[in-house]
């Protein structure tokens, strides 16, 4: 119960981690500004109907520690949905453009956009088991690739799992991630990262209204059923009772929330 000493220990550990995995907050802000400048409503309208038409993927995006594992577990409780894991495949598609990612995405023709979708579905297929119509890709960092999803996989579903910034930021700061969350070891970087994320998602809400379905963690755990029904509706899935009891679903969970999703949905952790 010595909060000051505990925080000092977390801060010391985070500082050590930050030296090994430095984060460039300015680069992310510039990337977000570039996305906003390039990806207006006309940009998407001009490319409508391109990409691969498969509806199979359900992307859960946002920040880590945002309640995304609970959203995944709810959806994976449905008979038609398979929960896989945080997949690297979309990031690998983006890396195919090299340093000129946003320019390359803007220049891609219909054939190239379709091939990106086909490639993603081909590489993720090995992680799936037969018999499920849909699968979940829960890589949270894919919020930076919302435009790529829209262009390459226009019928995929996008779920934005969002949590109160102070709760989410603190949870990120005290979590020792295996990799890929370099922003989380400095409080200022966390604040800037969250702000850039919210700003970019607000932009896509404006230019692609209704495209992204947002699940607010605090609302979900306080009053689960209406939010679970809305989530299933957005994914085009019929309601199934077991989705209200995701803690009963037996599957491998690979995130830091593995223990929490084994418990009934509750607001006691808010």
């Amino acid at each position: 119960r010595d909060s000051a000493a505990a925080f000092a220990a977390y801060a010391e550990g985070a500082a050590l981690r930050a030296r090994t995995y430095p984060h460039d907050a300015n680069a992310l802000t510039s990337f977000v500004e570039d996305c906003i400048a390039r990806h207006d409503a006309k940009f998407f309208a001009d490319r409508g109907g391109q990409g691969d038409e498969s509806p199979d993927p359900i992307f859960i995006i946002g920040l880590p520690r945002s309640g995304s594992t609970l959203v995944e577990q709810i959806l994976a409780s449905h008979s038609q949905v398979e929960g896989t894991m945080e997949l690297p495949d979309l990031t690998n598609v983006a890396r195919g453009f090299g340093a000129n990612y946003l320019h390359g995405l803007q220049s891609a023709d219909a054939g190239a956009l379709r091939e990106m979708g086909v490639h993603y579905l081909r590489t993720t297929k090995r992680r799936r088991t037969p018999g499920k119509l849909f699968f979940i890709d829960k890589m949270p960092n894919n919020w930076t690739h919302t435009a790529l999803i829209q262009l390459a996989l226009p019928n995929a579903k996008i779920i934005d799992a969002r949590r109160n910034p102070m709760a989410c930021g603190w949870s990120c700061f005290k979590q020792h991630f295996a990799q890929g969350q370099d922003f989380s070891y400095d409080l200022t970087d966390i604040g800037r990262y969250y702000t850039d994320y919210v700003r970019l998602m607000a932009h896509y809400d404006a230019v692609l209204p209704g495209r992204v379905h947002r699940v607010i963690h605090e609302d979900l755990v306080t009053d689960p059923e209406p939010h679970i029904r809305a989530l299933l509706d957005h994914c085009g899935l019929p309601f199934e009772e077991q989705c209200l009891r995701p803690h009963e679903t037996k599957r491998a969970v690979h995130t830091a929330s593995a223990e929490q999703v084994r418990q009934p949905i509750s607001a006691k952790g808010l």
Side-chain angles (χ1 to χ4, degrees), residues 28-245:
L28 179 63
T29 297
S30 295
F31 173 84
V32 167
E33 290 173 349
D34 201 2
C35 287
I36 291 172
R38 291 174 183 268
H39 302 157
D40 57 13
K42 184 176 186 301
F43 171 82
F44 291 111
D46 289 348
R47 294 159 178 79
Q50 301 177 12
D52 187 280
E53 295 182 353
S54 171
D56 296 18
I58 301 173
F59 292 93
I60 301 177
I61 61 173
L63 265 69
R65 312 301 292 145
S66 63
S68 57
T69 301
L70 175 58
V71 176
E72 176 193 39
Q73 186 77 350
I74 289 167
L75 287 171
S77 300
H78 197 282
S79 62
Q80 297 180 28
V81 181
E82 180 176 13
T84 53
M85 56 189 295
E86 296 180 355
L87 304 179
D89 301 77
L90 193 68
T91 299
N92 292 338
V93 172
R95 284 176 179 161
F97 289 105
N100 297 315
Y101 168 43
L102 292 183
H103 175 74
L105 188 61
Q106 190 164 6
S107 303
D109 61 18
L113 293 175
R114 184 178 183 281
E115 178 53 35
M116 288 177 220
V118 169
H119 178 79
Y120 172 84
L121 293 168
R122 183 168 60 245
T123 60
T124 54
K125 189 173 182 179
R126 69 182 186 274
R127 307 177 192 275
R128 302 178 62 183
T129 54
K132 302 279 189 176
L133 296 178
F134 305 99
F135 72 99
I136 301 165
D137 181 341
K138 203 191 75 66
M139 177 61 76
N141 309 59
N142 282 338
W143 65 268
T144 60
H145 302 313
T146 301
L148 174 58
I149 297 171
Q150 172 63 17
L151 298 178
L153 295 158
N155 293 321
K157 300 298 186 293
I158 307 174
I159 312 299
D160 177 11
R162 188 169 298 184
R163 184 180 174 193
N164 174 279
M166 293 297 286
C168 192
W170 166 241
S171 191
C172 285
F173 186 67
K174 66 187 181 74
Q175 178 66 43
H176 185 170
F177 293 103
Q179 60 183 357
Q181 308 302 345
D182 304 340
F183 74 93
S184 67
Y185 303 112
D186 177 87
L187 295 179
T188 300
D189 286 346
I190 292 172
R192 289 188 60 180
Y193 189 95
Y194 194 101
T195 301
D196 282 333
Y197 146 70
V198 168
R199 186 159 59 112
L200 186 59
M201 298 316 296
H203 171 74
Y204 290 131
D205 285 346
V207 300
L208 294 168
R211 182 67 177 90
V212 177
H213 179 77
R214 189 156 295 110
V215 177
I216 304 299
H217 179 69
E218 291 77 10
D219 295 341
L220 174 63
V221 298
T222 302
D223 189 14
E225 183 166 347
H227 298 286
I228 290 173
R229 286 183 177 274
L231 173 64
L232 296 175
D233 283 346
H234 179 78
C235 293
L237 294 166
F239 177 75
E240 291 183 357
E241 195 73 28
Q242 64 265 27
C243 293
L244 299 178
R245 303 185 302 277

